[in-house]
Amino acid sequence: MNETAAKWLGLIGIVLAIIGFFYSPFVLGGIAVILGIICFANPKKAIAWWTTILGIIALIIPLFQ
């Protein structure tokens, strides 16, 4: 995967995770985690970590409400 594609997948995952905080957290948070894992193919892993962590947080928050 080239760097540009991984960067865009990471940004889309971050947007989905943030939307997942407010609407359908299990679906959107899960998709964000999957996109974050796919982004680990990129040499720059910071955006992959952010996407994965935000997706996991979006999945966990509804469990405590």
Side-chain angles (χ1 to χ4, degrees):
M1 175 182 299
N2 63 11
E3 188 174 337
T4 306
K7 186 177 182 181
W8 277 105
L9 283 177
L11 291 174
I12 291 169
I14 289 173
V15 169
L16 288 176
I18 291 172
I19 293 171
F21 289 144
F22 305 106
Y23 178 76
S24 187
F26 293 113
V27 174
L28 295 176
I31 293 172
V33 170
I34 291 170
L35 288 176
I37 291 170
I38 291 171
C39 286
F40 276 109
N42 185 17
K44 297 181 180 178
K45 299 201 182 332
I47 196 163
W49 279 112
W50 277 105
T51 304
T52 307
I53 290 170
L54 287 174
I56 290 171
I57 291 171
L59 286 171
I60 291 175
I61 285 178
L63 298 176
F64 295 110
Q65 293 179 353

